[in-house]
């Protein structure tokens, strides 16, 4: 057996290593905790003279392997903790779609999709009912919830937990009640109404719809929309100014309007919750014009009452249905829901006063290019349910709905012949007017004024989030609405210069 003979020089090896670190040619020792943690562990050979050399080496090797195994387990544990604890905490600084909360990094998404998905005060787009699944709130970043099996014609409100929706509904119902409380305008059969309408009152304008309609107020659920709307900070104020310019009390229309306009839009509205809204306080019922009480005979009173009934009191401007599609509803039931919206309003007007003329300016669905929402519907609403291939765009569904609307409105005209009903279309016709129907204006072709734009850059300029107009968009859209108002008024008013 060969034994290890140690000398004094060997016993002083540790001291020599320390001394080497101070020599000019020695490399400085780097003390990095994480490097030490990952580096393999090694032990210097023992200087004991009582151990066999081979046995000593085997013992050292076993010790090193054991320590390296322990260290590997520690490193693996740290990695697991990072993945299961630290990473989720880091992600919790973000909202679902990537809107920043804590300001540490950025989720890899397109800027448009990140802003769309961010959780903000806007939403509607909603839950569909206390016992029904909801749908993605329009532009709010709420997760998609399928509504395709809900009856689009049956009144159904949002669940009580949606406090913002209920609060805004109650506010709008209060505004309707305040408008209804205004005294009627007394008129007589002898009051002149010349060709220039110098003594003619214009009807009150009622704007019905979803977030796009509510946008006329510069709000979403009564609040300033979040950044997903991609509006500038002064956009809400600009949009309100644009509305006042076109339809407010200082506008050409407003100066002669019988009453101030009402904007009755709630973000995320779909056909069924809208029908519930107008059956629960958001429908004006008061008379605007009344016969003048001048003590005349009964026959004369009957004539003045007839004169009052000849006045068109209100024009209902309606944009509704895009949120049905956004919740995964197919075009056919969406069309039925839109049909129910118009018929509900016309029937309520007939029930109130069958001899009173009614007027509806009904809009086609506006183009939308928020394609990522179409993809998020799958599942369950997929282009191919077997392969789970998602839809790539809402536009095919929108075009199918819009193609059906002329027939829908013809049905209204047939069943409610006392009414004036005009369709606003995004199709393009020269000068925005279908000359072949100029004697009976059924459709106003607005084209670009309803965002039918081929160039993506131009579309982005007016609908930066690909769903809601900005101030430029509302200013453009107002021209289309004015064309429709001119048609309902039989061309007796000039609103566009």
């Amino acid at each position: 057996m060969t034994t290890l003979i140690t000398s004094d020089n060997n016993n002083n090896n540790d001291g020599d290593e320390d001394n080497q670190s101070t020599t000019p040619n020695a490399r400085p020792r780097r003390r990095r905790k994480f490097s030490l943690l990952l580096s393999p562990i090694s032990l210097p050979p023992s200087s004991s003279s009582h151990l066999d050399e081979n046995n000593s080496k085997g013992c050292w090797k076993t010790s090193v392997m054991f320590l390296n195994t322990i260290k590997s387990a520690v490193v693996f544990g740290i990695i697991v903790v990072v993945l299961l604890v630290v990473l989720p905490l880091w992600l919790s600084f973000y909202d679902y779609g990537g809107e920043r909360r804590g300001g540490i990094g950025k989720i890899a998404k397109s800027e448009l999709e990140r802003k769309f998905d961010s959780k903000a005060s806007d939403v509607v787009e909603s839950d569909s009912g206390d016992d029904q699944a909801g749908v993605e709130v329009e532009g709010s970043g709420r997760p998609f919830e399928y509504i395709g099996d809900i009856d689009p014609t049956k009144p159904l409100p949002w669940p009580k937990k949606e406090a913002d929706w209920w609060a805004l509904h109650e506010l709008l119902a209060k505004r309707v009640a305040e408008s209804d409380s205004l005294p009627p305008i007394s008129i007589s059969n002898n009051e002149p109404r010349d060709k220039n309408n110098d003594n003619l009152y214009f009807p009150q304008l009622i704007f019905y719809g979803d977030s796009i309609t509510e946008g006329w107020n510069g709000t979403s659920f009564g609040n300033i929309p979040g950044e997903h709307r991609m509006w500038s900070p002064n956009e809400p104020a600009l949009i309100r100014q644009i509305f006042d310019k076109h339809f407010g009390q200082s506008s050409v229309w407003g100066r002669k309007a019988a009453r101030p306009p009402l904007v009755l839009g709630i973000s995320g509205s779909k056909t069924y919750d809208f029908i519930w809204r107008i059956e629960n306080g958001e429908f004006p019922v008061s008379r605007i014009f009344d016969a003048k009480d001048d003590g005349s005979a009964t026959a004369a009173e009957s004539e003045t009452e007839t004169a009052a009934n000849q006045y068109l009191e209100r024009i209902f401007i309606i944009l509704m249905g895009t949120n049905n599609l956004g919740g995964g509803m197919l075009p056919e039931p969406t069309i039925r829901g839109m049909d129910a919206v118009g018929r509900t309003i016309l029937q309520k007007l007939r029930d109130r006063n069958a001899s009173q003329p009614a007027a509806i300016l009904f809009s086609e669905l506006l183009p939308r290019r928020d394609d990522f929402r179409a993809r998020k519907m799958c599942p369950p609403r997929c282009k191919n349910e077997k392969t789970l291939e998602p839809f790539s765009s809402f536009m095919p569904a929108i075009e199918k709905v819009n193609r059906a609307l002329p027939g829908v409105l013809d049905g209204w005209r047939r069943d409610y012949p006392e009414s004036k009903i005009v369709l606003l279309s995004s199709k393009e016709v020269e000068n925005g007017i279908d000359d072949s129907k100029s004697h009976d204006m059924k459709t106003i072709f607005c084209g670009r004024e309803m965002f039918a734009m081929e160039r993506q850059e131009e579309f982005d300029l007016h609908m930066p989030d690909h769903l809601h107009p900005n101030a430029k968009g509302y200013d453009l859209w107002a021209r289309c609405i004015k064309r429709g108002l001119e048609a309902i008024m039989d061309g007796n008013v000039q609103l566009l210069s």
Side-chain angles (χ1 to χ4, degrees):
M1 179 184 300
T2 303
T3 58
L4 293 177
I5 306 298
T6 61
S7 65
D8 292 338
N9 290 336
N10 291 335
N11 289 333
N12 293 329
N13 278 346
D14 290 343
D16 292 342
E17 289 177 1
D18 290 338
N19 291 337
Q20 289 174 6
S21 65
T22 60
T23 59
N25 295 329
R27 180 177 297 176
R29 187 182 307 175
R30 297 180 180 178
R31 300 180 181 274
R32 294 184 180 178
K33 295 181 179 180
F34 197 69
S35 297
L36 290 174
L37 184 63
L38 296 179
S39 61
I41 296 175
S42 60
L43 295 176
S46 173
S47 60
S48 174
S49 59
H50 302 289
L51 297 176
D52 179 82
E53 182 176 7
N54 292 331
N55 291 338
S56 298
K57 289 182 179 180
C59 183
W60 295 334
K61 186 175 182 180
T62 301
S63 299
V64 170
M65 291 176 62
F66 176 75
L67 291 176
N68 280 331
T69 301
I70 292 177
K71 188 167 67 172
S72 297
V74 171
V75 172
F76 179 78
I78 293 175
I79 294 174
V80 171
V81 170
V82 169
L83 292 176
L84 297 183
V85 179
V86 178
L87 183 59
L89 289 175
W90 180 76
L91 292 176
S92 69
F93 281 92
Y94 290 82
D95 284 322
Y96 172 78
E99 183 179 7
R100 297 178 67 125
R101 281 184 179 173
I104 51 170
K106 187 175 184 179
I107 293 178
K109 274 192 175 185
S110 69
E111 182 68 11
L112 179 60
E113 186 168 346
R114 187 184 71 83
K115 287 181 179 291
F116 263 134
D117 283 344
S118 64
K119 184 179 180 180
S121 61
D122 189 38
V123 156
V124 189
E125 298 182 335
S126 90
D127 282 353
S128 58
D130 291 332
D131 58 351
Q132 301 284 0
V135 64
E136 176 183 354
V137 177
E138 184 177 338
S140 71
R142 294 193 177 192
F144 170 78
E145 293 183 42
Y146 181 67
I147 65 162
D149 297 327
I150 296 176
D151 186 343
T153 68
K154 180 182 178 182
L156 184 66
W158 286 25
K160 288 294 184 180
K161 66 181 181 180
E162 298 288 356
D164 286 347
W165 186 89
W166 283 94
L168 183 52
H169 162 65
E170 291 171 2
L171 175 62
L172 297 183
K174 180 180 178 181
R175 290 177 180 172
V176 171
E178 291 172 349
S179 178
D180 276 347
S181 68
L182 297 175
I185 299 172
S186 296
I187 62 173
S188 93
N189 195 38
N190 296 322
E191 290 184 355
R193 288 183 288 166
D194 59 27
K195 189 173 182 179
N196 295 322
N197 298 297
D198 289 338
N199 297 300
L200 179 64
Y201 291 101
F202 290 169
Q204 182 184 28
L205 301 180
I206 310 295
F207 291 81
Y208 276 141
D210 47 37
S211 60
I212 298 175
T213 298
E214 186 188 348
W216 281 118
N217 286 328
T219 64
S220 176
F221 287 119
N223 304 307
I224 300 301
E227 68 168 1
H228 57 275
R229 190 68 66 91
M230 301 184 74
W231 283 358
S232 64
N234 63 335
E235 210 84 28
L238 288 175
I239 293 171
R240 288 191 292 270
Q241 292 172 11
I242 289 169
F243 182 85
D244 290 339
K245 178 182 71 173
H246 292 291
F247 310 111
Q249 291 181 282
S250 61
S251 66
V252 172
W253 187 278
R255 287 194 296 269
K256 301 188 72 173
R259 289 182 182 174
L262 289 173
V263 176
L264 306 177
I266 298 182
S267 294
S269 282
K270 294 161 284 293
T271 56
Y272 49 84
D273 65 71
F274 171 73
I275 295 173
W276 185 93
R277 286 166 48 198
I278 62 177
E279 291 185 350
N280 289 271
E282 290 188 47
F283 188 82
V285 297
S286 66
R287 290 291 300 270
I288 291 181
F289 302 111
D290 202 358
K292 184 179 292 185
D293 184 8
D294 54 5
S296 303
T298 303
E301 290 176 356
S302 177
E303 290 181 359
T304 55
E305 182 67 22
T306 300
N309 287 337
Q310 291 175 351
Y311 274 90
L312 180 61
E313 292 189 325
R314 295 179 177 91
I315 300 176
F316 296 87
I317 303 165
I318 305 170
L319 175 64
M320 179 60 58
T322 195
N323 290 324
N324 288 51
L325 298 177
M329 189 172 288
L330 293 172
E332 290 78 6
T334 298
I335 294 166
R336 292 200 305 272
M338 297 169 74
D339 185 25
V341 164
R343 289 182 176 275
T344 300
I345 292 174
L346 291 168
Q347 188 61 46
K348 290 177 75 69
L349 291 170
R350 175 180 283 181
D351 292 344
R352 185 175 65 88
N353 189 341
S355 61
Q356 190 85 35
I360 288 182
L361 189 58
F362 200 86
S363 177
E364 286 185 352
L365 299 184
L366 300 182
R368 56 186 294 180
R369 299 183 184 179
D370 54 332
D371 298 340
F372 71 91
R373 281 201 180 95
R375 295 190 293 270
K376 284 185 177 179
M377 294 192 302
C378 181
R381 179 61 70 205
C382 304
K383 185 176 182 179
N384 188 318
E385 295 182 359
K386 292 183 179 180
T387 63
L388 296 183
E389 177 188 358
F391 287 99
S392 59
S393 172
F394 286 109
M395 287 309 299
I398 288 176
E399 291 167 357
K400 187 171 185 177
V401 170
N402 288 345
R403 285 195 300 269
L405 289 180
V408 170
L409 271 61
D410 280 342
W412 300 351
R413 297 185 186 101
R414 180 188 64 248
D415 296 338
Y416 300 89
E418 71 277 10
S419 301
K420 294 184 176 182
I421 301 169
V422 174
L423 176 66
L424 298 180
S425 172
S426 60
K427 294 183 178 66
E428 187 73 63
V429 174
E430 187 176 359
N431 299 324
I433 297 176
D434 182 3
D435 293 332
S436 66
K437 297 181 180 178
S438 59
H439 64 287
D440 183 17
M441 300 292 285
K442 295 181 178 180
T443 304
I444 303 299
F445 296 94
C446 295
R448 179 178 174 274
E449 292 172 353
M450 281 184 66
F451 312 105
M453 303 168 179
E454 293 184 3
R455 292 176 52 247
Q456 184 66 46
E457 295 80 4
E458 185 181 18
F459 188 83
D460 292 346
L461 186 64
H462 296 87
M463 273 192 173
D465 72 351
H466 296 177
L467 181 59
H468 303 91
N470 58 10
K472 289 180 180 293
Y474 278 107
D475 195 33
L476 187 66
W477 187 34
R479 294 182 58 83
C480 175
I481 295 174
K482 283 182 171 182
R483 295 183 190 278
L485 294 176
E486 289 178 347
I488 287 179
M489 299 298 287
D490 298 321
N492 292 325
V493 57
Q494 184 70 34
L495 299 176
L496 294 172
S497 56

